[in-house]
Amino acid sequence: MAIATSLSKPRLSEGMSRLGTESAFEVLVRARELEAAGREIIHLEIGEPDFPTAPHIVEAAAEALRAGWTHYGPPAGLPELRAAVAEDAGRRRGIAIDPSEVVITPGGKPILFFTILALIDRGDEVIYPNPGFPIYESMIDFVGGHAVPYGLREQQDFDVDAGEIIGHVTGRTRLVILNSPNNPTGGVISTEGLARLAKVLAGRELFVLSDEIYSRLIYEGEHASIAQFPGLKERTIILDGFSKTYAMTGWRLGYGIMRPDLAEKVAQLQTNATSCTASFTQIAGIAALRGDQSCVDQMREEFRRRRRVLVEGLNRVPGFRCRQPRGGFCVFPNITGTGLKSKTLADALLNEASVAALSGTAFGAGGEGYLRFSFANSLENIEKALDWVGTWAQKNL
Ligand SMILES: Cc1ncc(COP(=O)(O)O)c(C=O)c1O
């Protein structure tokens, strides 16, 4: 019998040709290859807190496993966690949230996936930030929606230009995506910007997906959500979760907050996709929300120290110009003064200076001229990376 030595390419669905990805993972693979070849690499490409999950949360999960939380649960999440999220998220935003408006998912990402699947038909317009989290554009394209980008400008401290977003709204707009604090820029949408947007969007037949996954990592002022504004709560899907706030990226635990009729549909998508979120991680989520919050405060204060060191250091590198991000754990320096394209510079820093960072274009065409460095690494490593980048720049720029 002949043994096939090569397989012909599988015939994939049409949507697959439009599906994007997160190139952060590709940079990590390349960095790991260099490490395997014996090089020391400093990882500033990472998009997750470098802190361990707090012991009381880990203990709650271990206890839950021993107590038998090892079975399927309701698709929308355990009632006690939905109630804890409703209470916590509502109190932090000053709005009343009912547990029926909460859907628990494995990470915050599925909320994005499910919302777009639930709301967007071919040709529907979705307004989204560019530079922005790459999965927005990927998912819009995948379902055949029409992706309409809006900019985030350094001169405006990477706040949104409400007028630009409003100018993009047409009769075909079904969804507007906001992300504050923003990945990759660290920009935070001002309350005035939200108010201006809310005024216009409240009267429209559309939804807002408000990605607030970094809402507890803000360095100046308080977090505000567009859902707080009159007429917007019933039009907003809030995406948030445990990954960044409680350093729980690998646990896969997040949630969406939306009107109950939409929550039912999103839970139905979850039934089809994953059945439910792991039960013992949800018990740990209750411990996270109801327990001591000092782990979040300590992490934020450590990030604040590192942010200052990284920004000051990058501003000393010839050709770099870096603002203080207002939230999240990344900086987004302008590198146009180097005369190099973002991707060329990111590759050179990895291959020649042993510092892994992301090209701004990993976040869409609007990221050209910028790099993203994460400060989810120790002060010691950040200082070393600055030293290596500085030495490389002196030799090469
Ligand atoms: C802006 C933004 N939204 C959503 C997510 C997804 O978070 P999770 O790990 O909870 O799925 C991320 C993760 O990097 C993010 O940066």
Side-chain angles (χ1 to χ4, degrees):
M1 196 176 79
I3 297 171
T5 51
S6 67
L7 292 171
S8 58
K9 276 198 173 159
R11 188 180 160 279
L12 300 174
S13 70
E14 180 230 351
M16 281 307 289
S17 65
R18 299 190 299 267
L19 190 68
T21 190
E22 260 187 89
S23 56
F25 291 107
E26 286 157 24
V27 174
L28 184 64
V29 169
R30 172 73 186 135
R32 294 263 182 259
E33 279 169 11
L34 292 171
E35 283 172 326
R39 282 262 295 277
E40 182 188 355
I41 301 291
I42 300 186
H43 292 271
L44 300 187
E45 81 282 28
I46 19 182
E48 60 175 344
D50 54 318
F51 299 90
T53 308
H56 70 279
I57 303 175
V58 174
E59 196 40 51
E63 180 54 34
L65 279 168
R66 285 191 289 268
W69 288 96
T70 51
H71 300 275
Y72 290 133
L78 296 177
E80 197 184 343
L81 180 57
R82 293 174 81 193
V85 167
E87 195 274 315
D88 180 79
R91 183 170 42 78
R92 291 185 188 285
R93 293 168 179 82
I95 51 178
I97 297 172
D98 189 81
S100 64
E101 297 174 298
V102 177
V103 182
I104 310 294
T105 42
K109 236 181 198 174
I111 292 298
L112 175 59
F113 199 89
F114 295 155
T115 299
I116 289 180
L117 281 178
L119 296 177
I120 305 306
D121 277 324
R122 189 168 275 277
D124 286 344
E125 292 173 9
V126 182
I127 302 175
Y128 75 105
N130 187 334
F133 188 46
I135 302 304
Y136 303 145
E137 193 179 271
S138 168
M139 277 305 299
I140 301 164
D141 290 346
F142 180 62
V143 300
H146 180 52
V148 182
Y150 64 86
L152 294 169
R153 294 180 189 84
E154 188 187 348
Q155 307 86 292
Q156 293 167 341
D157 227 0
F158 297 114
D159 192 353
V160 300
D161 175 346
E164 184 191 350
I165 296 180
I166 292 164
H168 285 317
V169 175
T170 72
R172 299 223 58 175
T173 306
R174 290 276 288 144
L175 188 66
V176 176
I177 301 180
L178 302 176
N179 173 214
S180 179
N182 173 268
N183 176 18
T185 66
V188 167
I189 307 180
S190 67
T191 315
E192 304 79 65
L194 288 175
R196 241 187 105 193
L197 280 174
K199 233 184 197 157
V200 173
L201 301 181
R204 299 277 185 158
E205 269 304 306
L206 49 73
F207 280 94
V208 178
L209 175 63
S210 185
D211 183 343
E212 303 177 17
I213 197 93
Y214 296 99
S215 59
R216 300 279 301 277
L217 288 175
I218 290 199
Y219 304 104
E220 290 119 39
E222 297 279 306
H223 174 65
S225 170
I226 194 157
Q228 293 165 227
F229 290 82
L232 259 292
K233 196 187 146 212
E234 51 274 34
R235 299 196 178 284
T236 303
I237 298 109
I238 296 175
L239 179 162
D240 203 340
F242 297 77
S243 299
K244 319 284 174 173
T245 302
Y246 296 100
M248 290 175 70
T249 47
W251 294 65
R252 310 313 299 135
L253 189 62
Y255 53 84
I257 298 167
M258 64 207 84
R259 43 194 276 177
D261 50 359
L262 186 57
E264 272 175 32
K265 295 296 168 197
V266 166
Q268 190 181 349
L269 280 164
Q270 171 125 292
T271 306
N272 280 264
T274 68
S275 297
C276 60
T277 305
S279 300
F280 61 95
T281 60
Q282 293 191 63
I283 299 289
I286 298 167
L289 292 177
R290 300 227 161 117
D292 183 6
Q293 300 297 300
S294 60
C295 55
V296 184
D297 299 332
Q298 281 162 10
M299 184 171 74
R300 188 178 47 245
E301 291 317 303
E302 178 58 24
F303 278 147
R304 189 194 298 279
R305 275 191 286 278
R306 297 173 182 181
R307 175 185 73 141
R308 189 178 54 75
V309 171
L310 186 54
V311 169
E312 284 176 7
L314 287 175
N315 276 321
R316 286 196 291 271
V317 178
F320 281 56
R321 186 177 72 211
C322 187
R323 283 181 178 254
Q324 290 268 6
R326 297 158 68 90
F329 44 69
C330 296
V331 299
F332 204 56
N334 180 316
I335 52 85
T336 49
T338 64
L340 296 173
K341 290 275 190 198
S342 298
K343 175 84 169 67
T344 311
L345 181 58
D347 287 347
L349 290 182
L350 177 58
N351 293 320
E352 297 163 26
S354 303
V355 174
L358 296 183
S359 165
T361 51
F363 302 91
E368 184 55 81
Y370 297 86
L371 291 187
R372 193 194 81 166
F373 291 85
S374 153
F375 40 95
N377 204 328
S378 65
L379 259 185
E380 191 192 348
N381 279 337
I382 289 171
E383 276 164 356
K384 209 186 250 184
L386 286 168
D387 190 31
W388 292 358
V389 170
T391 308
W392 179 88
Q394 264 169 10
K395 259 196 245 154
N396 294 282
L397 296 177

